[in-house]
Amino acid sequence: MPRQPNTRRRSALRKGGYAALEAVGMVITALAAQAVIRGVLNPDAEPLWGILDRVPGGLTGQMILLGLIALIAMVAGGWAHTRKEPATQRAGDPRGIRDQGTT
């Protein structure tokens, strides 16, 4: 008889992966957004220590690229946040409502 995969372990790995993607998304969003704000307020400073010097379009191109990176990281982190299964029931979750049986 073939062995059944351990779904509990697989689920825990998925939750950990989603949590890691959420954390990475939050960190990248924070760093990219900070670099955009710093670049707008101080146009003479090089965003991210000159890493983006080869981006075409000068400072405007660099700010657009950083904004897109922040947006993609924010979407990825939000997607991972919604994919995680909560440990507790959330308020307003229809799956958490149980019929009390007051018949």
Side-chain angles (χ1 to χ4, degrees):
M1 178 153 78
R3 292 181 60 189
Q4 296 294 327
N6 189 351
T7 57
R8 189 177 298 171
R9 183 175 183 198
R10 220 181 257 174
S11 177
L13 290 175
R14 283 189 192 141
K15 287 180 188 178
Y18 291 139
L21 179 61
E22 182 181 3
V24 168
M26 288 175 17
V27 168
I28 291 174
T29 300
L31 292 175
Q34 180 185 17
V36 168
I37 292 169
R38 191 172 287 189
V40 168
L41 295 179
N42 187 5
D44 297 332
E46 294 182 8
L48 296 178
W49 308 280
I51 294 173
L52 303 173
D53 283 344
R54 298 188 63 146
V55 174
L59 183 64
T60 304
Q62 292 174 358
M63 293 300 111
I64 290 172
L65 179 64
L66 281 171
L68 286 174
I69 290 171
L71 182 66
I72 290 169
M74 185 171 40
V75 168
W79 177 82
H81 180 74
T82 59
R83 295 292 295 179
K84 284 191 317 184
E85 294 178 14
T88 59
Q89 295 293 327
R90 294 183 181 179
D93 186 8
R95 293 177 291 166
I97 298 174
R98 293 195 173 110
D99 188 13
Q100 296 294 325
T102 57
T103 51

